[in-house]
């Protein structure tokens, strides 16, 4: 049944300045140009005199997006092997890992540049849901950034202090909440981890603390709702009430569309219309509710339900696209 309440305010009334992805691009580009222009000679001199690094760092590519994505960057889809990084959690190692990606111009923070390098080292795609799950698990307060206290608290709760085990942890959450993969039981470990860590007759050591993962498994719909709500706050400007439609659409495409096929039709409608500029919290929440309740063929859609105007417009558009010109179809302005 559609929610019985007063019709939600149309989010398109509040147009939002694009302060997420575009602002990150401008900020990153400006800082990069300033650094290159002011210290290129010193950097070159240091590179010639410093000893060769033990491990070459990946050179960053161009144009950071809200999720740390850079145009032209190659997506990594390799599944991490926790057997290669099965050492126990160490606070010192977790802090040192943070320092590896820390912004040299902003001590105590991983910025968009470091965030991208972190995702690259974790071998996760920057355009999928995994960067959002990473932010959620560590409770990041800003897009594509981590403060040191957020990092230390999050890694301590997960008991991870290396990038490969952190990658494993967020992949397992993605598998549970977005991909409907089978539950990983507590105490399970890969064969080599069990061989290294376990004593005959005991439960094999886990690669990280799965208590949070198991808590999600007890109510997957509630856990997904928490992730979904977190993502709205992550994308919303600190002093704003809305997120821009481009960001909302990008998040919907990786969070909701894989679970609810009707979301793909909604995204096509939004792209075709091109008139919706912002998404407030009510529209954000009701869009997920709509996808959970309404069948892809609209067979159980109730015209008298209190859905936001954008979703009513979507229904009218879909019916017209399907050749339905009955009384329930209305003209879209």
């Amino acid at each position: 049944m559609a929610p019985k309440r007063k019709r939600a305010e149309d989010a398109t009334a509040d147009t939002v300045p694009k302060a997420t992805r575009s602002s990150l691009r401008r900020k990153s580009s400006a800082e990069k140009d300033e650094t290159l222009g002011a210290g290129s000679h010193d950097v070159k001199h240091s590179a010639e005199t410093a000893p060769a690094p033990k491990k070459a760092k990946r050179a960053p590519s161009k144009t950071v997006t809200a999720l740390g994505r850079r145009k032209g960057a190659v997506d990594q889809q390799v599944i991490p092997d926790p057997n290669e990084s099965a050492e126990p959690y160490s606070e010192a190692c977790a802090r040192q890992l943070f320092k590896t990606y820390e912004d040299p111009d902003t001590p105590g923070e991983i910025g968009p540049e470091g965030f991208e390098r972190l995702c690259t080292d974790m071998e996760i795609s920057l355009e999928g849901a995994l960067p959002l799950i990473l932010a959620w698990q560590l409770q990041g307060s800003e897009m594509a950034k981590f403060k040191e206290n957020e990092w230390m608290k999050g890694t301590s709760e997960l008991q991870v202090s290396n990038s490969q085990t952190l990658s494993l942890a967020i992949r397992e959450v993605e598998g549970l909440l977005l991909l409907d993969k089978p539950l990983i039981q507590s105490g399970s470990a890969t064969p080599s981890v069990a061989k290294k860590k376990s004593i005959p007759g005991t439960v094999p050591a886990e690669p990280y603390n799965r208590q949070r993962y198991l808590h999600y498994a007890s109510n997957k719909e509630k856990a997904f709702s928490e992730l979904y709500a977190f993502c709205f706050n992550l994308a919303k400007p600190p002093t704003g009430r809305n997120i821009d439609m481009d960001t909302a659409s990008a998040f919907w495409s990786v969070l909701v569309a894989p679970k609810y096929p009707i979301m793909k039709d909604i995204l096509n409608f939004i792209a075709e219309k091109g008139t919706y500029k912002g998404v407030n919290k009510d529209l954000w929440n009701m869009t997920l509710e709509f996808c959970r309740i309404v069948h892809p063929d609209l067979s159980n859609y109730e015209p008298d339900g209190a859905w936001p105007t954008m979703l009513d417009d979507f229904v009218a558009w879909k019916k017209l696209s399907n050749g339905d010109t009955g009384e329930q179809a209305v003209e879209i302005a």
Side-chain angles (χ1 to χ4, degrees):
M1 291 291 292
K4 301 302 180 180
R5 63 173 184 78
K6 186 177 178 180
R7 173 176 292 275
E9 179 182 359
D10 188 354
T12 60
D14 295 322
T15 301
V16 185
K18 294 189 176 180
T20 52
R21 285 187 281 187
S22 58
S23 63
L24 281 174
R25 283 197 294 268
R26 288 195 296 270
K27 179 179 178 182
S28 179
S29 178
E31 291 175 349
K32 191 174 181 179
D33 291 344
E34 180 181 353
T35 302
L36 290 175
S40 58
H41 176 74
D42 293 339
V43 172
K44 180 177 180 181
H45 178 72
S46 299
E48 293 173 349
T49 58
K54 294 181 180 180
K55 180 179 179 181
K57 295 183 178 179
R58 296 176 175 87
S61 47
K62 300 179 180 179
T63 314
V64 180
T65 69
L67 302 180
R69 171 65 180 171
R70 294 171 172 273
K71 292 180 180 179
V74 177
D75 291 340
Q76 300 291 333
Q77 300 292 345
V78 180
I79 303 299
D81 182 2
N83 301 334
E84 297 178 357
S85 306
E87 68 273 10
Y89 165 78
S90 160
E91 181 178 338
C93 289
R95 193 177 302 278
Q96 183 57 46
L97 186 63
F98 176 88
K99 298 297 182 183
T100 301
Y101 306 104
E102 186 178 34
D103 188 337
D105 298 323
T106 312
E109 179 179 289
I110 293 175
E113 296 280 346
F115 186 86
E116 183 191 1
R117 289 193 292 109
L118 171 64
C119 289
T120 300
D121 290 345
M122 291 173 65
E123 299 177 320
I124 65 175
S125 169
L126 290 160
E127 291 189 331
L130 288 173
L132 297 176
I133 297 174
L134 172 62
W136 180 44
Q137 291 300 286
L138 300 186
Q139 289 296 296
S141 57
E142 294 184 67
M143 189 88 74
K145 293 182 180 181
F146 289 120
K147 293 180 174 60
E148 187 169 3
N149 64 319
E150 296 168 346
W151 176 274
M152 296 305 298
K153 183 175 185 294
T155 54
S156 175
E157 290 175 351
L158 288 172
Q159 292 288 284
V160 296
S161 51
N162 64 78
S163 61
Q164 291 301 295
T165 306
L166 181 57
S167 177
L168 174 69
I170 66 169
R171 286 178 186 276
E172 289 186 354
V173 172
E174 179 194 40
L176 179 71
L177 300 184
L178 273 68
L179 307 179
D180 292 324
K181 289 187 177 180
L183 174 67
I184 298 172
Q185 298 297 329
S186 179
S188 62
T190 53
S192 62
V193 172
K195 182 177 179 181
K196 293 177 183 178
K197 302 287 182 179
S198 64
I199 299 173
T202 64
V203 177
E206 295 187 272
Y208 72 97
N209 181 11
R210 286 197 174 105
Q211 290 305 307
R212 185 187 295 175
Y213 168 89
L214 296 173
H215 175 70
Y216 296 154
S218 66
N219 191 334
K220 294 197 291 183
E221 184 170 307
K222 178 182 177 182
F224 180 82
S225 295
E226 291 173 358
L227 167 62
Y228 186 77
F230 170 85
C231 289
F232 179 84
N233 292 325
L234 182 68
K236 182 177 66 65
T239 58
R241 295 185 303 166
N242 300 348
I243 61 177
D244 66 86
M245 183 56 76
D246 287 344
T247 301
S249 295
F251 282 20
W252 281 331
S253 70
V254 299
L255 292 172
V256 184
K259 292 176 66 67
Y260 305 104
I262 196 171
M263 189 71 240
K264 296 178 182 178
D265 291 334
I266 296 174
L267 290 171
N268 290 336
F269 162 73
I270 293 170
E272 182 176 308
K273 294 300 294 180
T275 56
Y276 300 101
K277 304 301 181 184
V279 175
N280 61 23
K281 188 174 183 179
D282 186 73
L283 177 57
W284 178 260
N285 291 335
M286 294 301 290
T287 298
L288 176 59
E289 190 70 10
F290 182 92
C291 292
R292 282 173 166 169
I293 292 175
V294 179
H295 298 166
D297 62 1
L298 306 179
S299 59
N300 66 334
Y301 170 76
E302 295 185 5
D304 295 332
W307 297 112
T309 301
M310 189 193 80
L311 296 174
D312 285 335
D313 290 348
F314 158 71
V315 171
W317 171 85
K318 185 170 174 61
K319 287 184 175 181
L320 290 172
S321 299
N322 292 339
D324 183 349
T325 58
E327 294 181 359
Q328 299 300 334
V330 295
E331 184 179 354
I332 304 174

